[in-house]
Amino acid sequence: MDSEDDFMSAVSSGDDVHLDDSDNDDMSGADDFDFDDEPDPDLGMPKDIMQKKRVAYDISFKVFQPSDIQKQQDDLINEVNLILDISKEEAAILLRYFRWNKERLIEDYMDKSRQVLDAAGLAHTTTSLPKLEVIPGFVCDICCEDGEGLQSFAIKCGHRYCVDCYRHYLSQKIREEGEAARIQCPADGCSLIIDARSLDLLVTPELTERYHALLNRTYVEDKDNLKWCPAPDCQNAIECGVKKKDLDKVVPTVSCLCSHRFCFGCILSDHQPAPCNLVKRWLKKCADDSETANWISANTKECPKCNSTIEKNGGCNHMTCRKCRHEFCWMCMGPWSEHGTSWYNCNRFEERSGTEARDAQAKSRVSLERYLHYYNRYANHEQSARLDQDIYHKTEKKMVQLQRESGMSWIEVQYLNSASQALQTCRQTLMWTYAFAFYLARNNLTEIFEDNQKDLEMAVEALSEMFEKPVTELADPKLKVVIMDKTSYCSKRRVILLEDTAQNLAEGRWTFNVDLTGSGSNDGPSTTR
Amino acid sequence: MASQKRIAKELSECMANPPAGMRVSLANDADVHKWHIVLEGPPNTPYVGGTFGLVIVLPPEYPFKAPVVTFATRIYHPNVTNDTPGKICLGLLKTENWKPSFKIQTVLQAVRGLLVEPQPDDPLEARIADEFRSDRKEFEKNARQYVTQYAKGPVKFDKKLTSTAGDAAATPGASSS
Ligand SMILES: [Zn+2]
Ligand SMILES: [Zn+2]
Ligand SMILES: [Zn+2]
Ligand SMILES: [Zn+2]
Ligand SMILES: [Zn+2]
Ligand SMILES: [Zn+2]
């Protein structure tokens, strides 16, 4: 158990429970992130464990780096250049005009080349190249200047402005609004797009680089199956075939080479198992009800036994009161001793019988309690994930220290990194299971879901507790094995939960207590049941 | 800066020939970038009989950047925040829609148009928008009540709120009173 793989592979990608394939995680192979067509690596493991079988929540996608994106554009430009016998520059302009739909461009061009060139601002036979002009008596409508010899410019619509105003307008659009390929004529009510040749003439040298970078961006932005990775400073784009209309059946989670995991449908961070519409609705509800719910996410609570104030400073929800030593659960405030037992339901909201909630006020109260039950747990995991990260950063420093003192290698302490990442990923999933559960209407499947949720939660809390041990204890080789086991168990529980939810989602077997297909009307605490 | 000439021209046009039901002046004579507008509530709307103060702040980059328009008088409206200064949601003021050829006249007309025809699908106050859609009578009653409460008599332009580009209220110390 001391090869590099054992330490490095455990949870380097959140989904990866197959502990032995770090050899295949060659991140440079950006073009092939689609595991489907990879041959199974034969490492002498039983096939059923090793098989990279497509799980229900696993969607296929590819990561493209800037050079890949450039190459794809160049290839298309070259192709059109050859087929239509036009210059590469013109091919690029036409492709952008046709939103990179090569087939449509070629078809339309064959059909009516004159109109196509005209529409894209390339009609060199009808109008001469764009140029600046001095027109006697001209008054610029933007700056109201009318000086003699004032240079002015207009695109084909004839709306003429002085060159300073035109340049100012363009630099505003390019530098501050990030527009390039579809900037309109500055005139009120005129929607004619300023063509690329006019832009080349007008864009000042210090903006050309930015302008060309923006033109490049349109390639990704114009394609429905391409999206930029939203991580700050990341230049990669992801290709994924999941369509907007599929989003009630699948939660398309992708992960970039920069390790950021996000939803291809809505660009938010990984929100499995909850579908995009549910997430949107939940976030809106949380924002609307933030005042009601705010007190819950506070960092301090009172011990349920002696009422002394307890501050939460780690991710673990197993709390021990410093004063009376009472052990309780931060989420439900129930005794911790009962949490390990099979009958205890920290995660399930017990619906009261209908008789109790007869009048509107009582109904509204039950509905609010129900919301708070789920919000409480959602917010707790969100907060815990943050605290776990803090703890990891603190631990990381100590590990460096420990390495120096004990002679342990950097590789040998990486199991903590894996544990930390597993905690983050699992808490992220857990967090969203509570939003999911809030909108879930009970049917014969909800119990399995709640059991899975509970199992994952218990696994996470157990690992979290280990993880918070003092560094001196963490260095113990026995504890290290325990943490590694718990880490992989957590990841396994997460996969089980996600597989179950994704499969039922794909087959339309969940019933929700709100309509998730529509645009989502308001559902305050009083209207939700 | 080149924008001075343009602003001066617009100002003299607006003062000489103001849009229907409006009076235009400068917040103080030394600064052409801050305008005060007094707007009469349009007829056939619940705002009739009220007088509303509007503050228009022209950014240094005007007309390449849109003016900032706020209500100095409280108003019950789906597209105006229910506080002072009341922020307005107006499509043509949005960065992606603004064009340097738009005039303040156009903006003022659009604000007035918003009073005549609220846009509940693009609300700043979701609750008022819901009410506007589902219970027009109640909405009109509330809007009229606001007029009686806040929009009668001469408009008061709060110095504190209009002294800078609209964020004076956020400076520390402003909250102590
Ligand atoms: Zn000009
Ligand atoms: Zn035009
Ligand atoms: Zn990335
Ligand atoms: Zn999503
Ligand atoms: Zn206690
Ligand atoms: Zn609990």
Side-chain angles (χ1 to χ4, degrees):
Chain A
M1 281 290 276
D2 51 6
S3 85
E4 185 173 318
D5 286 357
D6 294 321
F7 301 107
M8 298 300 290
S9 60
V11 273
S12 54
S13 99
D15 281 331
D16 215 337
V17 281
H18 313 283
L19 295 184
D20 304 288
D21 58 7
S22 62
D23 293 354
N24 300 321
D25 284 342
D26 179 5
M27 288 312 195
S28 61
D31 276 352
D32 200 350
F33 227 61
D34 187 348
F35 289 121
D36 250 5
D37 31 55
E38 258 180 36
D40 281 347
D42 186 8
L43 299 179
M45 297 287 289
K47 270 285 176 218
D48 56 332
I49 299 174
M50 275 312 298
Q51 202 147 40
K52 275 270 182 191
K53 133 176 163 282
R54 162 66 45 89
V55 283
Y57 65 85
D58 204 6
I59 53 143
S60 85
F61 61 91
K62 286 180 185 171
V63 184
F64 295 128
Q65 293 175 296
S67 55
D68 305 321
I69 301 165
Q70 188 60 55
K71 189 175 178 307
Q72 291 176 19
Q73 296 187 52
D74 291 347
D75 288 352
L76 280 169
I77 291 168
N78 289 338
E79 209 176 318
V80 170
N81 162 245
L82 286 175
I83 295 175
L84 297 186
D85 193 26
I86 52 175
S87 75
K88 284 188 186 177
E89 185 219 15
E90 288 171 319
I93 293 170
L94 286 178
L95 275 164
R96 276 185 213 112
Y97 183 78
F98 278 86
R99 293 181 175 260
W100 296 94
N101 188 336
K102 182 192 70 185
E103 285 74 24
R104 232 195 77 210
L105 159 61
I106 292 171
E107 203 175 291
D108 281 18
Y109 190 90
M110 301 287 198
D111 213 24
K112 39 184 182 175
S113 63
R114 172 67 66 84
Q115 280 111 306
V116 167
L117 289 168
D118 225 31
L122 283 177
H124 35 243
T125 48
T126 52
T127 42
S128 48
L129 285 174
K131 62 172 187 288
L132 303 180
E133 282 178 80
V134 176
I135 292 180
F138 166 75
V139 183
C140 174
D141 189 41
I142 293 177
C143 63
C144 304
E145 295 293 340
D146 55 359
E148 236 177 275
L150 189 63
Q151 286 203 307
S152 64
F153 182 79
I155 49 173
K156 274 182 301 168
C157 56
H159 298 119
R160 184 166 290 278
Y161 301 98
C162 83
V163 70
D164 281 352
C165 284
Y166 233 113
R167 291 209 161 115
H168 201 136
Y169 173 67
L170 292 177
S171 72
Q172 163 86 16
K173 289 280 165 200
I174 292 166
R175 185 178 290 142
E176 290 181 39
E177 292 167 38
E179 263 191 60
R182 271 178 282 281
I183 304 176
Q184 289 183 356
C185 164
D188 189 349
C190 180
S191 55
L192 198 71
I193 306 290
I194 302 175
D195 60 283
R197 281 204 175 138
S198 298
L199 281 166
D200 284 339
L201 172 72
L202 290 165
V203 167
T204 46
E206 67 267 25
L207 275 179
T208 34
E209 200 179 315
R210 170 107 174 107
Y211 164 59
H212 285 286
L214 286 169
L215 282 184
N216 257 352
R217 290 190 75 87
T218 63
Y219 176 72
V220 171
E221 279 146 20
D222 281 349
K223 293 201 148 195
D224 290 338
N225 62 345
L226 280 180
K227 275 176 188 163
W228 294 109
C229 168
D233 303 325
C234 181
Q235 311 257 300
N236 298 335
I238 311 271
E239 183 189 79
C240 174
V242 172
K243 303 272 188 309
K244 220 179 173 89
K245 63 171 172 53
D246 305 326
L247 290 177
D248 58 337
K249 293 263 178 287
V250 62
V251 187
T253 309
V254 297
S255 81
C256 182
L257 295 182
C258 73
S259 87
H260 181 62
R261 296 162 49 76
F262 66 98
C263 168
F264 191 81
C266 66
I267 310 299
L268 292 174
S269 292
D270 174 16
H271 57 66
Q272 293 179 96
C276 295
N277 270 340
L278 190 154
V279 168
K280 213 162 100 194
R281 211 176 167 113
W282 173 258
L283 291 176
K284 184 179 182 306
K285 181 166 180 58
C286 292
D288 290 351
D289 296 351
S290 60
E291 269 170 57
T292 332
N294 250 352
W295 59 274
I296 291 163
S297 49
N299 253 337
T300 54
K301 281 183 186 174
E302 280 176 5
C303 165
K305 219 171 177 184
C306 74
N307 295 331
S308 63
T309 305
I310 298 184
E311 193 180 351
K312 192 169 194 280
N313 48 19
C316 175
N317 285 318
H318 177 183
M319 308 303 293
T320 306
C321 172
R322 280 187 195 187
K323 217 165 156 197
C324 73
R325 311 303 302 164
H326 176 58
E327 294 179 54
F328 64 97
C329 165
W330 181 263
M331 284 208 277
C332 65
M333 303 302 278
W336 188 259
S337 52
E338 292 169 1
H339 273 65
T341 57
S342 54
W343 50 268
Y344 195 83
N345 286 312
C346 177
N347 60 330
R348 178 179 303 165
F349 179 75
E350 296 296 338
E351 308 272 356
R352 311 267 182 81
S353 59
T355 52
E356 218 184 304
R358 209 168 282 147
D359 58 277
Q361 208 190 344
K363 270 201 189 110
S364 153
R365 204 199 57 234
V366 168
S367 150
L368 179 64
E369 268 177 33
R370 185 175 178 278
Y371 167 62
L372 289 179
H373 171 91
Y374 291 111
Y375 178 77
N376 187 359
R377 282 149 184 80
Y378 167 86
N380 248 313
H381 283 297
E382 192 184 36
Q383 182 197 34
S384 295
R386 269 200 312 270
L387 292 172
D388 280 336
Q389 200 171 16
D390 285 356
I391 293 239
Y392 176 72
H393 286 312
K394 279 183 216 150
T395 314
E396 203 179 28
K397 266 187 221 145
K398 288 186 189 165
M399 293 320 294
V400 171
Q401 216 180 341
L402 199 72
Q403 275 179 60
R404 260 203 311 268
E405 281 166 21
S406 70
M408 268 217 275
S409 74
W410 182 79
I411 296 290
E412 282 171 311
V413 299
Q414 284 310 301
Y415 73 98
L416 276 181
N417 187 21
S418 305
S420 160
Q421 279 182 30
L423 279 174
Q424 305 275 319
T425 319
C426 289
R427 287 215 191 266
Q428 178 116 352
T429 302
L430 271 174
M431 174 179 127
W432 285 111
T433 60
Y434 283 110
F436 188 76
F438 176 73
Y439 291 113
L440 208 53
R442 294 208 81 83
N443 67 17
N444 55 340
L445 297 168
T446 32
E447 208 149 311
I448 300 168
F449 167 74
E450 282 170 344
D451 285 345
N452 283 334
Q453 185 185 37
K454 187 168 114 185
D455 286 343
L456 176 59
E457 188 140 58
M458 290 197 322
V460 164
E461 293 305 340
L463 177 61
S464 187
E465 214 171 337
M466 292 284 134
F467 190 69
E468 276 177 38
K469 298 244 189 243
V471 172
T472 42
E473 278 181 56
L474 287 175
D476 178 354
K478 266 191 241 122
L479 190 58
K480 177 171 161 178
V481 172
V482 173
I483 288 186
M484 286 168 64
D485 284 351
K486 288 196 186 299
T487 300
S488 73
Y489 181 66
C490 274
S491 302
K492 203 170 90 195
R493 292 308 325 175
R494 176 173 173 272
V495 169
I496 289 169
L497 183 144
L498 289 182
E499 258 192 282
D500 175 67
T501 46
Q503 198 137 39
N504 288 324
L505 189 70
E507 286 157 20
R509 284 202 293 246
W510 297 115
T511 34
F512 296 101
N513 51 27
V514 287
D515 176 25
L516 290 176
T517 51
S519 53
S521 65
N522 207 14
D523 57 334
S526 53
T527 53
T528 318
R529 80 139 260 104
Chain B
M1 174 115 203
S3 68
Q4 296 289 342
K5 199 164 180 174
R6 152 95 183 243
I7 295 173
K9 188 167 179 238
E10 280 201 72
L11 184 65
S12 64
E13 272 172 19
C14 272
M15 301 230 271
N17 202 359
M22 290 186 219
R23 265 172 319 190
V24 177
S25 61
L26 285 179
N28 71 70
D29 291 342
D31 185 1
V32 293
H33 286 88
K34 216 160 296 157
W35 298 22
H36 280 174
I37 319 291
V38 175
L39 162 66
E40 304 293 339
N44 304 319
T45 72
Y47 306 107
V48 70
T51 332
F52 300 89
L54 286 176
V55 178
I56 296 197
V57 175
L58 305 176
E61 299 86 352
Y62 182 82
F64 297 98
K65 279 195 178 161
V68 180
V69 185
T70 49
F71 268 88
T73 309
R74 284 190 67 166
I75 180 166
Y76 192 86
H77 193 287
N79 309 97
V80 184
T81 59
N82 201 352
D83 56 7
T84 9
K87 290 170 270 307
I88 305 179
C89 176
L90 203 58
L92 101 160
L93 295 179
K94 288 183 182 151
T95 309
E96 65 272 24
N97 298 333
W98 177 258
K99 285 186 170 192
S101 53
F102 290 171
K103 304 283 151 58
I104 296 180
Q105 288 258 13
T106 330
V107 174
L108 291 175
Q109 257 139 25
V111 173
R112 192 170 184 275
L114 212 52
L115 299 197
V116 176
E117 202 177 332
Q119 304 292 320
D121 292 334
D122 195 11
L124 277 175
E125 294 289 343
R127 196 195 54 76
I128 300 178
D130 278 349
E131 187 182 77
F132 178 83
R133 268 188 298 242
S134 60
D135 190 349
R136 190 65 59 92
K137 276 218 163 67
E138 182 67 19
F139 165 78
E140 288 177 356
K141 200 184 100 199
N142 286 325
R144 273 195 296 270
Q145 201 248 312
Y146 263 58
V147 170
T148 315
Q149 198 173 340
Y150 300 107
K152 291 289 183 188
V155 173
K156 278 197 246 28
F157 287 99
D158 189 339
K159 280 256 151 36
K160 195 178 74 189
L161 293 171
T162 61
S163 57
T164 67
D167 54 7
T171 51
S175 58
S176 55
S177 62

